[in-house]
Amino acid sequence: MNKPLISVITINYNGLVHTMGFLESFQKISYPNVEIIVVDNASKESPDSILEKYPDTVLIKSPVNEGFAGGNNRGMEVAKGDFFFLINNDTEVAPDLLESLLERAEKSENVGLVCPKILYHEEPDIIQYAGFSAINPITGRGRGKGYMEKDEGQYQVAEITQLAHGAGMFIPKKVVKKIGLMAELYFLYYEEMDYCERIKKAGYDIWYEPKSYILHKESMSVGKNSLLKTYYMSRNRWLYLRRNVDYPLFFFTAGYYMLIALPKNLLVHAIKFEWGHFRKYLKGFVDGLFLKDIEENPTLKN
């Protein structure tokens, strides 16, 4: 019996050294039927060396940086697989990863997305992701299960969870065809959470599968305290809530943000004399509040 084709999709943006490490890691994958798609998001450095060393890779050169959602969408548009594995380029994988994810995905028609255990690359016994709580509709915040805990096997039972982690999401193509592609208006951050909400609204479940794992080199492409991150985290948290919290509850969400979250975060940046972050947080909030076309969700045509 032929194994279903799995399309592995990753994005490169000025991170060629990490992408090459990612591709080297995938040479050890034991699953026999895989295509690897690298979407280059208009990097300043040429990605051509990818094909020189890994000629079987499908390389898509985007003329503009379309962000996390747009890059993954371009990959899914050309993917030939029955399953899509969206995975960050700043990761390395266990050899048996795809078998574990596929096994979980095929156990039920209701499986909409599977996420593996995620550990830190520099400290592989420390957990980054072992499931996630639902996002609070008022505060826009959630809680990661096992986050920063030492991995001692305490999260080795697969279970339905509320949200996936964007560093590694295994999705049946049939789900993408039903709900559409990722919302590109996010550009960076919160798009995977929005996608999870759409998957759940369509009647599917999000699963955490700990039989295998990935190692994640967190925030390699953006930076851990960058102005870009401050802006998009501020804008997109608000954008996510606008898209996923219904009235009249949304009035309480707006009240919390106006009266508590906005002044608190601006005060923290002011106290630290982080005026660049102060301005970016404020601009992100305003842009997220007034951004139009919040229902835009591109569809998968093939």
Side-chain angles (χ1 to χ4, degrees):
M1 182 177 178
N2 291 331
K3 298 282 188 180
L5 177 64
I6 297 174
S7 298
V8 175
I9 301 167
T10 195
I11 299 170
N12 178 66
Y13 177 67
N14 296 329
L16 191 58
V17 63
H18 304 300
T19 301
M20 297 298 271
F22 165 88
L23 292 170
E24 177 62 31
S25 172
F26 257 88
Q27 304 311 300
K28 303 170 186 176
I29 282 287
S30 55
Y31 189 79
N33 197 13
V34 180
E35 68 167 353
I36 299 180
I37 301 169
V38 176
V39 180
D40 183 74
N41 253 348
S43 295
K44 295 179 181 178
E45 53 187 357
S46 172
D48 290 343
S49 57
I50 290 174
L51 293 180
E52 293 171 8
K53 187 168 184 181
Y54 304 103
D56 293 333
T57 303
V58 178
L59 177 62
I60 300 172
K61 296 181 181 180
S62 177
V64 295
N65 183 358
E66 297 187 273
F68 180 81
N72 278 306
N73 286 350
R74 301 295 82 76
M76 287 191 280
E77 286 169 348
V78 304
K80 299 175 181 177
D82 300 304
F83 297 87
F84 301 155
F85 186 36
L86 314 183
I87 178 170
N88 280 19
N89 70 324
D90 60 347
T91 59
E92 295 181 7
V93 300
D96 64 347
L97 175 67
L98 295 181
E99 286 93 343
S100 300
L101 298 175
L102 178 62
E103 180 184 2
R104 174 57 54 189
E106 291 186 323
K107 281 194 173 181
S108 169
E109 287 293 316
N110 287 336
V111 177
L113 186 154
V114 186
C115 194
K117 179 189 289 183
I118 302 177
L119 305 169
Y120 284 99
H121 183 268
E122 299 303 318
E123 297 182 76
D125 61 341
I126 302 298
I127 296 170
Q128 182 178 21
Y129 173 89
F132 213 91
S133 71
I135 295 292
N136 186 298
I138 303 297
T139 66
R141 298 185 180 278
R143 182 179 61 84
K145 189 172 183 179
Y147 179 65
M148 294 302 293
E149 292 182 24
K150 186 178 178 63
D151 185 13
E152 298 178 333
Q154 68 271 44
Y155 300 110
Q156 284 304 110
V157 177
E159 62 180 7
I160 293 175
T161 188
Q162 292 300 311
L163 296 169
H165 194 295
M169 303 188 295
F170 191 87
I171 310 170
K173 181 177 181 178
K174 66 179 183 181
V175 174
V176 179
K177 288 183 74 71
K178 182 174 181 178
I179 71 168
L181 297 167
M182 302 179 78
E184 296 181 16
L185 71 171
Y186 283 94
F187 189 76
L188 191 67
Y189 301 120
Y190 272 85
E191 57 277 278
E192 76 273 23
M193 297 181 183
D194 181 271
Y195 209 45
C196 286
E197 295 301 333
R198 286 165 53 200
I199 289 172
K200 290 188 292 184
K201 287 176 183 176
Y204 296 103
D205 297 321
I206 311 294
W207 276 85
Y208 161 67
E209 176 52 73
K211 276 189 179 179
S212 197
Y213 63 89
I214 63 177
L215 301 176
H216 188 204
K217 310 168 188 175
E218 168 118 53
S219 296
M220 289 295 182
S221 61
V222 175
K224 295 185 179 181
N225 192 34
S226 71
L227 295 176
L228 189 71
K229 183 174 182 177
T230 295
Y231 171 76
Y232 280 110
M233 286 294 285
S234 174
R235 189 193 78 148
N236 291 350
R237 184 178 293 126
W238 185 244
L239 186 59
Y240 168 87
L241 292 168
R242 286 178 60 196
R243 283 171 57 94
N244 293 286
V245 179
D246 297 326
Y247 291 96
L249 184 57
F250 186 77
F251 287 115
F252 294 94
T253 306
Y256 172 85
Y257 262 76
M258 296 293 186
L259 301 175
I260 298 176
L262 180 64
K264 175 188 173 183
N265 283 283
L266 292 178
L267 179 62
V268 168
H269 289 310
I271 290 173
K272 295 180 179 180
F273 298 102
E274 296 174 340
W275 300 114
H277 288 281
F278 181 101
R279 289 188 291 270
K280 288 295 184 182
Y281 185 90
L282 181 59
K283 178 173 172 51
F285 175 84
V286 173
D287 288 352
L289 185 63
F290 294 107
L291 188 67
K292 297 181 180 179
D293 300 322
I294 64 170
E295 297 303 324
E296 169 266 339
N297 297 313
T299 57
L300 185 65
K301 296 179 175 62
N302 62 344

